[in-house]
Amino acid sequence: MLAESLDFNGWATAYVEMTGPGDYSITMIDEGSPGSAASMETLSFSLPATADPGAGTDQDAPIIEAATDELADYGYVPVSDWRGSDGRFTVKVGITDWKMDDLQETLYRE
């Protein structure tokens, strides 16, 4: 279940970029209101050594699959189509209830 809006708008954009051969980072940005984007966190993942990306759109599939798995591990669920290619992608994500609780706890930690 996706979280209700709290301090974050309940949505974010995940920006996936290649950082090295087989290595990627995912920067999570809460877009909020226009002009008020806020960085939430940065995740990273590596493609398994056995992954053979191939060429063209087939090359993108293992990256998108690994990024989707990494997002799920941290409480994010893609809610739009993936856009991009060649190791650079974006996707809108919803924030699960348990992740929103985690973010709330981090924001208001004493």
Side-chain angles (χ1 to χ4, degrees), residues 10-107:
W11 303 86
T13 302
Y15 295 88
V16 179
E17 292 185 285
M18 185 175 1
T19 57
D23 296 326
Y24 298 84
S25 70
I26 305 172
T27 302
M28 303 299 300
I29 303 291
D30 174 38
E31 304 293 347
S33 303
S36 66
S39 178
M40 296 168 60
E41 66 184 311
T42 300
L43 312 173
S44 61
F45 67 95
S46 298
L47 290 179
T50 57
D52 180 16
T57 56
D58 290 340
Q59 177 181 1
D60 298 340
I63 299 167
I64 290 171
E65 182 179 344
T68 300
D69 290 346
E70 186 71 10
L71 289 167
D73 287 348
Y74 283 88
Y76 300 104
V77 179
V79 294
S80 73
D81 291 334
W82 285 89
R83 297 180 184 261
S85 63
D86 298 326
R88 295 181 63 126
F89 304 93
T90 62
V91 68
K92 293 282 187 193
V93 296
I95 303 170
T96 61
D97 285 337
W98 68 266
K99 180 60 178 183
M100 187 61 83
D101 290 344
D102 182 56
L103 291 170
Q104 180 86 358
E105 200 172 293
T106 300
L107 283 173

